Amino acid sequence: MTTALPTRRLGALTVSAIGLGCMNLSHAYLQRPSADKAERLLRHALDVGVTFFDTAALYGFGANEELLGRTIMDRRADFTLASKCVLAEIDGKRGLDGSPQAITRVLEDSLRRLRTDHIDLYYLHRLDPKVPIEESVGALVRGVEDGKIGAIGLSEMSAATIRRAHAVHPITAVQTEYSPWSRNPEVAVLDACAELDIGFVAFSPVGRGLLAGGVGPQGVPEGDIRGAMPRFQPPHLAHNLDLATKLKGLADEAGCTMAQLCLAWLLSRRDFIVPIPGTTNMAHLDEDLAAARLDLPRPLLDRVDSLFDFGAVSGPRYPRDAQAQIDTELWEGEPLA
């Protein structure tokens, strides 16, 4: 039997207050689960009340969409489905193409892999600087008109770009990395979302696992995407693990886990924020979802704020090549790789 979670609104969409980011079931992080374990986790997420599932054409070069397509589409009416285009496989490699032709092609491929004729929320995964945002959004508008897309989203884009896109067609949600240690949306994006009635989806809400106690002094396995991120490399890693230890102290005071404290902190920031933690572990999923019902005292949440004030975290969040594809504002003085 499916249970219910508190809900939040993303534009006209109503979703569980905490969704599921599906990327690490097929992509980027190690170790990846077996197909059977991934399928069981997805079905369990539905059973315990998750109604918002986030995937992308990029993840596993389509493998993640195929996973969702074969696993949960028999319960299509029970959840909101989100996927993304622009970042995808091009000639066997990760590529960026925001042209209308590429967006149309990737959308068709995503529908086929997902075994559906409709994606509820479809994002531009990144801004392609070679293509005006108006042209990329226009391609999605045609998808809306054809009934293949329900709503349009943007990922890792600045307030200025959001406003340009919104002038072409209402934007339903903006997705950006947001956690106590990555607070770039606070520069301008959250205010733009509030002004335009756009929902905000927070990916990597527990600091890519480090703020959930999932990374130790040894770092991450070879081949894990985080290994190329400066915050997970020496000398930055030791400093950031010290911050995580202090966060654990606050979580212990609150009687919750580190991950739950991060998620509760995010939910307290604005009422239109929906975090989408990812996990390969069923118990961790249940732990994450329990944060939707936590009511932590404001002074303790303020101490999380202070612990991760600007400049507290060591190292840029992305290596130089990945940062070049990020349009979201930087903090004044934020380090770049």
Side-chain angles (χ1 to χ4, degrees):
M1 176 182 291
T2 301
T3 57
L5 287 171
T7 60
R8 289 201 164 187
R9 192 170 63 86
L10 298 174
L13 300 172
T14 299
V15 301
S16 52
I18 296 176
L20 180 65
C22 300
M23 180 187 77
N24 62 350
L25 298 177
S26 312
H27 184 80
Y29 293 2
L30 298 175
Q31 301 292 327
R32 291 184 201 124
S34 66
D36 178 67
K37 184 177 180 181
E39 291 165 6
R40 283 189 283 113
L41 184 132
L42 288 170
R43 287 191 288 267
H44 178 73
L46 275 173
D47 289 342
V48 295
V50 175
T51 64
F52 187 40
F53 291 77
D54 181 274
T55 182
L58 177 69
Y59 302 159
F61 289 176
N64 199 247
E65 289 180 327
E66 290 175 347
L67 169 65
L68 270 65
R70 69 174 181 265
T71 305
I72 59 175
M73 288 303 150
D74 59 328
R75 296 174 62 176
R76 185 68 184 85
D78 294 344
F79 64 92
T80 295
L81 173 65
S83 193
K84 311 177 195 72
C85 59
V86 179
L87 273 182
E89 180 184 7
I90 300 176
D91 298 328
K93 298 180 180 180
R94 168 183 167 135
L96 180 71
D97 191 342
S99 68
Q101 298 86 349
I103 288 171
T104 300
R105 181 181 68 253
V106 172
L107 172 59
E108 293 298 330
D109 289 343
S110 291
L111 291 168
R112 172 180 51 79
R113 289 189 292 255
L114 287 162
R115 304 185 188 184
T116 186
D117 60 1
H118 182 83
I119 297 171
D120 301 303
L121 175 59
Y122 203 53
Y123 295 91
L124 300 177
H125 204 156
R126 292 290 188 271
L127 177 67
D128 184 348
K130 303 185 302 297
V131 181
I133 187 66
E134 291 81 1
E135 291 185 17
S136 297
V137 173
L140 297 187
V141 172
R142 288 186 284 278
V144 172
E145 293 169 347
D146 292 341
K148 298 175 181 178
I149 300 170
I152 295 174
L154 308 173
S155 179
E156 286 285 15
M157 298 198 192
S158 67
T161 301
I162 292 166
R163 289 190 172 91
R164 285 175 58 191
H166 194 74
V168 176
H169 186 279
I171 301 301
T172 290
V174 171
Q175 180 176 141
T176 293
E177 182 177 0
Y178 189 27
S179 72
W181 87 338
S182 293
R183 297 175 62 172
N184 301 76
E186 295 176 10
V187 177
V189 165
L190 290 177
D191 286 343
C193 288
E195 173 191 334
L196 300 172
D197 193 26
I198 296 172
F200 184 90
V201 177
F203 76 79
S204 297
V206 296
R208 300 184 182 273
L210 189 142
L211 300 185
V215 178
Q218 74 282 359
V220 297
E222 185 176 354
D224 189 298
I225 194 173
R226 293 170 292 180
M229 296 177 177
R231 292 181 179 182
F232 292 87
Q233 300 170 348
H236 307 296
L237 179 60
H239 174 91
N240 295 332
L241 286 172
D242 182 60
L243 287 175
T245 298
K246 293 174 180 176
L247 180 71
K248 186 179 187 306
L250 293 178
D252 289 345
E253 280 188 44
C256 66
T257 67
M258 297 165 67
Q260 288 172 337
L261 180 54
C262 289
L263 293 166
W265 179 86
L266 277 168
L267 291 168
S268 77
R269 306 300 286 175
R270 307 271 183 135
D271 62 6
F272 54 81
I273 292 174
V274 176
I276 51 166
T279 183
T280 63
N281 183 294
M282 213 174 286
H284 290 169
L285 173 63
D286 292 341
E287 171 191 319
D288 290 344
L289 298 178
R293 294 189 172 91
L294 285 180
D295 184 17
L296 298 181
R298 184 73 254 172
L300 187 136
L301 296 173
D302 289 344
R303 288 166 67 191
V304 176
D305 261 15
S306 298
L307 178 61
F308 290 95
D309 200 5
F310 173 72
V313 177
S314 183
R317 67 183 178 115
Y318 280 116
R320 187 173 297 276
D321 58 342
Q323 182 62 45
Q325 296 179 341
I326 302 299
D327 185 50
T328 307
E329 293 86 354
L330 297 172
W331 287 95
E332 184 177 353
E334 183 172 347
L336 293 174

